[in-house]
Amino acid sequence: MEMTTNHSTLVIDEAYEVLDRSIMMHNDRPIGTVAALHSTQLAADNYLDCFVRDFVPSALVFIADGKPEIVRNFLETVLTLRTRERMVAGHEVQPGVMPASFRVVKQDDGTENIQADFGERAIGRVAPVDSMMWWIILLYIYETSTGDHELSKQPVFQDTMEQILHLCLKDSFEVSPALLVPDACSMIDRRMGIYGHPIEIQALFYGVLRIIHSLLEVKDEQTRSLINTAITREKALLNYVRIFYWLDLDRLNEIHRYATEEFGVDSINVLNIYPESIPDWVPDWLPDEGGYLVGNVGASRMDFRYFALGNFLSIMFGLTSDDQANRIMKLYELRWNNLVGAMPVKICYPAMEGLEWQVRTGSDPKNVPWSYQNGGNWPTLLWTFVAAALKTGRGDLAERAYNIAINRLSSDDWPEYYDGRAGKLIGRRSNFKQVWSATSLILANKLLEKPDLLNLFPR
Ligand code: GLC
């Protein structure tokens, strides 16, 4: 690796300082890490919370360093928060749902309690769907890496997993195996036109379905049938995503000449995608050898935008075929300036502009074109990029991205995100000392040095 120099070691040490200072304590036990270190310029008050998704790279660093206690404490803490009865705006929060974030609140008498946010405090009142999925995936990683299989066997863990699975597999208004969710329910937690079946949620859902039978014990007919449904759904989801989300030049040609308004069970264009909905930028941008999973699929809807995290997780968890994984990485190689540029990695491409930005984001000034979640570059995505690249045999791309990040992140003071088409500017409202920007770099470094770590993930 080019950067195993003194400089790299120094930067990684600095990243560890950020991580050490981020640890959240409760009754003298470490239970998580805050999203950003305290500063006068914090973008919002809840960055001092521990977010479930932000804790994932922290947890993986702790595990890789042989310090899994904090991860165990975290898994237990989040689970306790879930079991408290909660009503939000007249709705009972389903027992499987886990909070987006939590914080420790000190009482006047010196005692501490934990306050969770299920979306009732968050900006825009967004509720997370990804939290419960990351929680199960983290539990699996904790167990496989430590060999401590007793944790998930506890009845309260078993009940929780059953509730989560039940919630995700419950029939509602769906006719496809993909999971239907509202906008802003995952890493992109503001309105960005990703309601429906966003790829990030499908990848996480697939990750859960893939491992649940190794965690959930068959204790009665109900769990047996739940697990069987999960196995059937896992296969259906895999086929569905590989066919309907996949886009390459052949598929684009097919869609371009699709017949529409077909009625009946034999139709080919089953989702009734109108060729007219293919945006102008797609045919020019898509290289012959590349391809990707599109952002969202539904009735007469194909969201052609490229979303990085959903694609990386799909590769890591084996939701893509090997050929698809290779072609996604090829897309990075051939469109590097668009998808990586000055800071790995761009969250989605391209940005929404003009009327589309107004309608789909509600004119969100934080998500203006090429900023924040609307086409900004996020250092936290580096570790999943590196994992996906290594899994696909593209260590060259992993190193290339790592070398860019290590040269800038610490001197820029660990920004949360970067702005601009090429990601050259520190995000206008970006936090500094953003913890998952630092942990992502540490993790990327570890993955490059010890690719065996890839075996920790559901695959
Ligand atoms: C932003 C991100 C979200 C993250 C949170 C805390 O809201 O969009 O994914 O969890 O900040 O860092």
Side-chain angles (χ1 to χ4, degrees):
M1 193 171 34
E2 193 187 309
M3 290 303 295
T4 32
T5 56
N6 289 343
H7 173 67
S8 175
T9 319
L10 259 164
V11 173
I12 295 296
D13 286 351
E14 283 171 33
Y16 266 109
E17 268 170 47
V18 174
L19 175 62
D20 290 346
R21 287 174 56 199
S22 74
I23 294 175
M24 180 184 269
M25 302 293 288
H26 175 46
N27 294 336
D28 300 324
R29 291 163 70 231
I31 56 162
T33 52
V34 294
L37 297 189
H38 186 66
S39 90
T40 44
Q41 300 176 35
L42 220 52
D45 179 65
N46 62 350
Y47 279 102
L48 295 175
D49 283 13
C50 174
F51 280 74
V52 172
R53 70 179 77 86
D54 294 45
F55 183 69
V56 173
S58 299
L60 296 172
V61 170
F62 288 122
I63 285 175
D65 285 339
K67 297 176 180 161
E69 308 77 28
I70 183 171
V71 181
R72 187 189 168 104
N73 296 342
F74 167 88
L75 291 166
E76 285 172 347
T77 303
V78 176
L79 178 130
T80 335
L81 296 171
R82 175 226 46 127
T83 45
R84 288 191 199 154
E85 226 182 284
R86 300 210 64 93
M87 291 287 288
V88 173
H91 296 277
E92 192 187 335
V93 173
Q94 292 290 311
V97 173
M98 297 204 158
S101 69
F102 59 87
R103 62 172 59 185
V104 177
V105 183
K106 268 215 177 3
Q107 307 297 316
D108 292 343
D109 63 1
T111 56
E112 293 175 351
N113 65 25
I114 301 181
Q115 198 177 66
D117 186 1
F118 288 84
E120 75 276 31
R121 269 184 210 89
I123 295 162
R125 298 291 183 264
V126 288
V129 174
D130 63 340
S131 288
M132 55 188 172
M133 298 177 175
W134 276 123
W135 182 85
I136 291 191
I137 292 169
L138 206 51
L139 176 62
Y140 168 86
I141 294 175
Y142 167 82
E143 290 215 348
T144 32
S145 60
T146 60
D148 173 9
H149 296 288
E150 293 312 306
L151 190 64
S152 69
K153 291 211 174 97
Q154 292 176 24
V156 60
F157 274 75
Q158 289 289 315
D159 289 351
T160 306
M161 285 188 281
E162 203 179 318
Q163 283 159 349
I164 295 174
L165 203 54
H166 191 256
L167 190 62
C168 294
L169 295 176
K170 179 159 84 177
D171 282 323
S172 67
F173 304 109
E174 275 309 276
V175 287
S176 97
L179 192 65
L180 177 68
V181 295
D183 214 336
C185 71
S186 58
M187 177 187 177
I188 294 183
D189 58 0
R190 301 163 81 94
R191 224 182 111 191
M192 270 281 289
I194 53 171
Y195 62 90
H197 307 93
I199 186 62
E200 177 184 337
I201 289 290
Q202 310 316 319
L204 285 168
F205 184 34
Y206 180 76
V208 168
L209 293 173
R210 190 104 192 89
I211 55 180
I212 197 69
H213 52 87
S214 68
L215 293 167
L216 193 59
E217 294 176 332
V218 178
K219 61 170 193 283
D220 50 27
E221 246 335 287
Q222 197 180 316
T223 39
R224 183 185 306 280
S225 118
L226 207 52
I227 290 177
N228 285 340
T229 313
I231 293 171
T232 314
R233 186 75 172 262
E234 177 198 324
K235 295 199 180 97
L237 182 62
L238 177 105
N239 287 330
Y240 187 81
V241 169
R242 286 185 181 182
I243 294 171
F244 290 102
Y245 284 71
W246 182 248
L247 190 72
D248 59 13
L249 221 48
D250 285 348
R251 177 92 176 109
L252 190 63
N253 264 300
E254 211 179 301
I255 301 172
H256 179 64
R257 294 175 51 84
Y258 256 162
T260 56
E261 318 289 343
E262 298 166 296
F263 178 79
V265 287
D266 297 329
S267 53
I268 293 175
N269 181 6
V270 287
L271 295 170
N272 200 34
I273 307 288
Y274 294 105
E276 290 78 1
S277 70
I278 301 173
D280 275 352
W281 61 269
V282 178
D284 294 337
W285 187 72
L286 193 61
D288 291 9
E289 305 148 86
Y292 64 96
L293 299 172
V294 297
N296 216 313
V297 164
S300 296
R301 175 181 188 206
M302 192 173 238
D303 184 339
F304 289 85
R305 282 177 293 168
Y306 173 81
F307 285 86
L309 185 56
N311 275 269
F312 300 156
L313 295 177
S314 299
I315 295 175
M316 286 164 66
F317 299 164
L319 179 54
T320 54
S321 67
D322 290 349
D323 180 54
Q324 290 174 338
N326 291 336
R327 297 177 75 164
I328 294 170
M329 282 301 144
K330 195 74 190 167
L331 184 71
Y332 272 91
E333 184 189 322
L334 298 171
R335 293 291 176 259
W336 187 262
N337 292 343
N338 298 141
L339 299 177
V340 179
M343 178 53 66
V345 177
K346 196 165 279 300
I347 193 166
C348 67
Y349 181 89
M352 297 182 289
E353 309 193 38
L355 184 61
E356 191 186 10
W357 163 77
Q358 285 176 25
V359 173
R360 281 178 140 185
T361 71
S363 301
D364 182 348
K366 199 165 173 180
N367 274 338
V368 289
W370 307 108
S371 184
Y372 198 51
Q373 300 164 345
N374 186 15
N377 294 38
W378 289 63
T380 187
L381 294 170
L382 174 69
W383 78 268
T384 40
F385 174 74
V386 166
L390 289 174
K391 180 158 182 194
T392 321
R394 295 304 308 261
D396 58 327
L397 297 181
E399 279 187 29
R400 192 172 163 196
Y402 176 80
N403 287 332
I404 296 174
I406 196 121
N407 275 321
R408 275 194 76 177
L409 279 181
S410 109
S411 45
D412 288 350
D413 203 16
W414 312 102
E416 179 188 17
Y417 66 97
Y418 288 76
D419 285 347
R421 274 175 201 270
K424 284 190 183 163
L425 305 166
I426 294 177
R428 178 170 289 156
R429 300 203 203 164
S430 169
N431 284 321
F432 293 100
K433 296 195 171 51
Q434 179 80 16
V435 177
W436 69 358
S437 297
T439 49
S440 174
L441 188 72
I442 304 176
L443 203 52
N445 174 285
K446 286 187 184 302
L447 283 160
L448 282 165
E449 283 185 351
K450 237 179 117 208
D452 283 4
L453 286 171
L454 285 178
N455 297 336
L456 289 178
F457 302 111
R459 65 212 150 97

